[in-house]
Amino acid sequence: MSKHVLAIDQGTTNTKALVVDSAGTIIARGASPTDVRYPRPGWVEQDAMQIWHRTCEAIDQCLSNLDAPELGAVAVSNQRETTLVWERDSGRPMGPCVVWQCRRTAPFCNRLKERGMEPMIRARSGLQVDPMFSASKARWLLDRIEDGHRRAERGELCIGNIDAWLLWNLTGGGVHATDMTNASRTQLFNLRERTWDRKLLDLFDIPQVALPEIRPSSYVYGETVSVGELPAGVPVASLIGDSHASLYGQGGFRPGSVKATYGTGSSLMAPTSPLIFSDKGLSTTIAWAREKAVYALEGNIYVTGGAVEWVGRLLGLDEPGAVIEELARQSDNSQEVYFVPALVGLGAPYWKESVRGVITGLSPDVGASELARATLEAIAYQVRDVFDVMQEESTISLDVLLADGGAARNDLLMQFQADIIDRPVLRSRSTDISALGAAFLAGLAIGLWRDDTVVEEMTPPRDRFAPRMSTERRQTLYRGWRRAVARTVFDPET
């Protein structure tokens, strides 16, 4: 079969489209940036129509590079938890997309905690009470739409995350659906029953009729309408959250695999054979779903690559991502400087959204290079925090870390990561691993590939970073990090 898969990867700041052939090779690409707005401190939002238009631009750019591609399927990988509401009849957005990073619903989430609701929510959804997840965002949007809750109850409004929004538009408003990975990040999904949860819907006052239908990640959802270069009649055959897609694209199919995606924030995810509910700050989620659902443990870190951008602005660097490694290599390693980048609080495993960052170990000898090194090391330390808890709660040894994402291009970071977790790090050479994961799932849905063993043979090559730091040095450095974190989370009023 010679058909190709068009994979869309809709991220927070950029939308990519690529075409994958039957050998798993990327043969065309397109991309378009997406704007992010910060209307108030802690608020993050985007324009839903711009996301759709920029997605169309990326698709057109990609497909225009090919002569009559034979498309067998469309796949979608998306930024997770970002939530919007639109009108069912017109498709008109009824407000902004409230982005996953947004903290506007923190007061509501804190009231839930004060009412003692968090244990019930975690037992059903596998998620902590935090503004990152979709449920409180959806309620906030309905509260601000005139007659919003009643209109939603009457089925006049659609609630969804970016995957559902793109699917709606790709099918000309014909299908309102989501996959289990995205549903499992809403705080409205019952992990055991794998359906919308009535108690959680009532708690957040979200009408089920407004929510998308839940389907597997690898599934034919419907067919496209004609949109620019994209022809009508192409099956949309996978939806999956970007972090889940990267785990699949890395070939992390079996328990014992663990993947870290290094982006603005970071996600560690490890598939588990049983359903494990963490009591140490990790989330339980669906890794992906085909004939059956695969469960996973996940740790979400708010700020990793975002810390590099922040330090770059502080130091006046034009392209901090490109020069931070060179600057860090010039540092004096005897200076033990620690930067805890709690710029919007701390995520897993701490879940302290109200704390703010600290830098410790400053002296007259500390300069820009030491701060650059501390920033890169902070990413690795935060990953170790989650990795250690994940290892503790897993039923199988985690012997290697699979790495991908923009910040993973940094060799100094990858080597320090291997050193500080005392495990090899295998970095994917592909910069499109989430899109590839979605493409693989779509290809399986239409019979382009037979099973996971075929997909595993097509996973991109990796670079290996082996640990080489002494045990004594590793322990000393990590103790220093833990002291710095303790200063960050310490509340003198408690």
Side-chain angles (χ1 to χ4, degrees):
M1 184 181 291
S2 60
K3 289 183 178 179
H4 302 149
V5 177
L6 170 68
I8 299 164
D9 182 17
Q10 204 296 302
T12 310
T13 59
N14 192 46
T15 301
K16 294 189 290 186
L18 52 87
V19 172
V20 180
D21 67 15
S22 58
T25 303
I26 297 170
I27 60 174
R29 286 185 176 86
S32 184
T34 308
D35 297 334
V36 182
R37 301 191 299 252
Y38 304 90
R40 299 184 192 178
W43 288 34
V44 190
E45 62 186 41
Q46 293 181 296
D47 182 276
M49 291 308 301
Q50 186 194 71
I51 286 176
W52 170 239
H53 292 150
R54 297 290 173 84
T55 299
C56 292
E57 289 176 6
I59 292 171
D60 287 350
Q61 185 185 129
C62 178
L63 294 182
S64 65
N65 293 326
L66 295 173
D67 292 329
E70 186 182 1
L71 295 180
V74 174
V76 175
S77 164
N78 62 284
Q79 56 168 310
R80 304 176 303 165
E81 295 108 12
T82 297
T83 308
L84 69 152
V85 176
W86 65 94
E87 202 168 47
R88 191 179 297 271
D89 286 345
S90 68
R92 178 172 62 95
M94 302 300 292
C97 297
V98 183
V99 175
W100 61 274
Q101 297 166 307
C102 188
R103 314 305 292 173
R104 72 184 66 190
T105 62
F108 175 78
C109 291
N110 289 335
R111 289 195 295 273
L112 289 178
K113 293 178 182 178
E114 291 165 2
R115 290 167 55 193
M117 304 307 298
E118 187 164 39
M120 184 274 285
I121 293 171
R122 290 180 61 188
R124 301 176 89 85
S125 72
L127 303 176
Q128 294 76 17
V129 175
D130 189 86
M132 180 173 68
F133 304 116
S134 307
S136 62
K137 294 175 167 64
R139 177 179 174 133
W140 186 94
L141 286 163
L142 289 181
D143 286 346
R144 282 149 184 83
I145 297 169
E146 185 176 354
D147 205 24
H149 288 274
R150 290 185 181 275
R151 293 194 67 191
E153 289 169 359
R154 294 195 296 263
E156 297 174 11
L157 301 179
C158 294
I159 301 170
N161 291 353
I162 297 300
D163 66 314
W165 172 242
L166 294 183
L167 176 66
W168 174 271
N169 284 284
L170 287 166
T171 60
V175 182
H176 185 35
T178 188
D179 90 302
M180 289 189 193
T181 69
N182 281 287
S184 71
R185 305 299 295 176
T186 62
Q187 226 162 40
L188 301 171
F189 179 80
N190 187 299
L191 280 174
R192 290 185 177 88
E193 299 176 3
R194 297 186 292 281
T195 60
W196 298 123
D197 185 284
R198 175 50 54 191
K199 285 191 175 182
L200 295 175
L201 294 174
D202 291 344
L203 177 65
F204 286 94
D205 195 15
I206 305 295
Q208 183 171 335
V209 68
L211 290 171
E213 296 181 357
I214 302 170
R215 297 286 183 259
S217 313
S218 180
Y219 180 86
V220 177
Y221 287 81
E223 294 186 345
T224 61
V225 296
S226 178
V227 181
E229 296 287 327
L230 178 63
V234 182
V236 181
S238 76
L239 302 178
I240 185 169
D242 52 8
S243 185
H244 312 255
S246 66
L247 177 61
Y248 196 84
Q250 286 261 36
F253 306 138
R254 302 171 186 83
S257 303
V258 57
K259 176 266 333 177
T261 296
Y262 297 78
T264 302
S266 288
S267 160
L268 274 75
M269 188 180 293
T272 61
S273 181
L275 175 59
I276 299 174
F277 283 89
S278 171
D279 60 1
K280 299 182 183 298
L282 300 184
S283 301
T284 307
T285 190
I286 302 289
W288 55 78
R290 291 180 58 208
E291 293 85 0
K292 64 179 183 178
V294 176
Y295 291 104
L297 287 173
E298 181 174 13
N300 297 100
I301 304 168
Y302 291 153
V303 178
T304 51
V308 173
E309 296 300 318
W310 182 84
V311 167
R313 292 196 302 272
L314 186 70
L315 298 178
L317 305 177
D318 291 333
E319 297 183 20
V323 303
I324 200 85
E325 178 177 358
E326 179 182 353
L327 190 60
R329 288 188 183 277
Q330 301 170 15
S331 66
D332 178 358
N333 287 335
S334 68
Q335 300 287 338
E336 292 190 5
V337 180
Y338 292 91
F339 172 30
V340 183
L343 305 180
V344 291
L346 285 173
Y350 306 101
W351 296 106
K352 299 283 188 179
E353 67 91 20
S354 62
V355 303
R356 292 297 176 260
V358 299
I359 301 174
T360 68
L362 295 178
S363 71
D365 298 327
V366 170
S369 58
E370 285 73 31
L371 185 55
R373 178 172 58 84
T375 303
L376 293 180
E377 291 178 350
I379 297 173
Y381 287 132
Q382 290 183 99
V383 168
R384 174 170 170 177
D385 287 342
V386 173
F387 187 93
D388 284 357
V389 175
M390 198 167 276
Q391 178 62 88
E392 184 177 348
E393 297 202 320
S394 295
T395 57
I396 192 168
S397 178
L398 306 178
D399 295 327
V400 67
L401 179 67
L402 307 175
D404 60 75
R409 299 299 98 200
N410 189 303
D411 287 355
L412 183 64
L413 169 60
M414 291 294 96
Q415 183 58 57
F416 188 76
Q417 187 70 83
D419 288 336
I420 209 64
I421 65 172
D422 195 25
R423 304 287 199 289
V425 172
L426 301 181
R427 178 182 64 190
S428 176
R429 293 180 186 173
S430 173
T431 59
D432 300 303
I433 201 69
S434 291
L436 278 173
F440 293 154
L441 288 164
L444 289 166
I446 64 167
L448 182 59
W449 300 300
R450 184 182 66 254
D451 54 29
D452 288 347
T453 60
V454 177
V455 170
E456 195 167 16
E457 293 173 357
M458 296 188 294
T459 54
R462 303 182 177 105
D463 299 314
R464 190 176 192 273
F465 297 83
R468 58 193 186 198
M469 184 180 288
S470 70
T471 300
E472 181 181 2
R473 178 64 173 162
R474 179 184 307 110
Q475 292 175 343
T476 298
L477 289 175
Y478 192 60
R479 280 196 300 268
W481 165 257
R482 298 290 291 178
R483 287 194 296 268
V485 171
R487 294 184 183 185
T488 308
V489 302
F490 173 67
D491 185 350
E493 296 181 1
T494 61

